[in-house]
Amino acid sequence: MTNEITYDRPNTVSGLVAKHKELQALREKYKAEIKKLTVDIDHLDAAIRLFDPNADTYAIKEYVTKHRAEKGSVKRFVLNTLREASEPMTSRQITELWVADRGLSADEATLTTIRKRIGACIKTCVNQGLIEDQGWTTQHDANGPYKLWRVAK
């Protein structure tokens, strides 16, 4: 029956395909605009903190919550990053790459929250057999040592 529709109404199908492409392009345009706006808000928050380190703007509080990733994008990013890595990586390293990839300028609290989200993604991937634990780093920071991860072979 699909072939019937295709042959009986070629203009309908081509019109739907064209509309589909148009909406995809529009979605990409808005994604880019949202990313730019998020970066602009982040810069404004940083400027406000230069003048008043104790400033408590709504945008600062809601930054991490409002800056959600599309479903599956964190997992794709983590797996692609580990596949391309020449050596095992920590969740902190992956977090820093995520922030850079999204064009963000995040403070330490935001980095910690994003790192926890990436850590949860890693844990899910470990349970699915996609990522393997490679021990601990020898370097420590305020959060202690980090585990090393790589894509499962």
Side-chain angles (χ1 to χ4, degrees), residues 49 60 63-64 95 104 106-115:
R49 282 191 226 132
I60 293 171
Y63 178 79
V64 175
T95 299
L104 305 175
D107 60 16
E108 195 59 37
T110 302
L111 283 172
T112 298
T113 302
I114 294 172
R115 184 183 53 78

Side-chain angles (χ1 to χ4, degrees), residues 5-25:
I5 294 171
T6 303
Y7 292 117
D8 289 344
R9 301 178 188 266
N11 292 335
T12 301
V13 174
S14 64
L16 291 171
V17 169
K19 186 64 172 180
H20 185 268
K21 286 180 183 177
E22 176 188 333
L23 292 175
Q24 280 183 317

Side-chain angles (χ1 to χ4, degrees), residues 55-70:
D56 188 19
T57 65
Y58 180 75
I60 293 171
K61 283 184 177 179
E62 294 295 318
Y63 178 79
V64 175
T65 309
K66 296 243 182 219
H67 195 68
R68 295 190 187 271
E70 284 184 38

Side-chain angles (χ1 to χ4, degrees), residues 80-134:
N80 287 338
T81 299
L82 289 174
R83 276 187 202 106
E84 294 170 4
S86 58
E87 57 188 30
M89 296 181 73
T90 66
S91 60
R92 175 66 186 222
Q93 291 170 317
I94 296 169
T95 299
E96 289 169 355
L97 291 172
W98 172 264
V99 167
D101 183 66
R102 295 188 70 144
L104 305 175
S105 176
D107 60 16
E108 195 59 37
T110 302
L111 283 172
T112 298
T113 302
I114 294 172
R115 184 183 53 78
K116 288 178 181 178
R117 290 179 182 171
I118 287 185
C121 174
I122 289 171
K123 185 181 239 183
T124 300
C125 289
V126 167
N127 292 339
Q128 294 172 343
L130 301 172
I131 294 177
E132 297 176 332
D133 179 343
Q134 294 295 292

Side-chain angles (χ1 to χ4, degrees), residues 33 54 59 64 147:
E33 287 182 30
N54 298 321
V64 175
K147 275 193 167 187

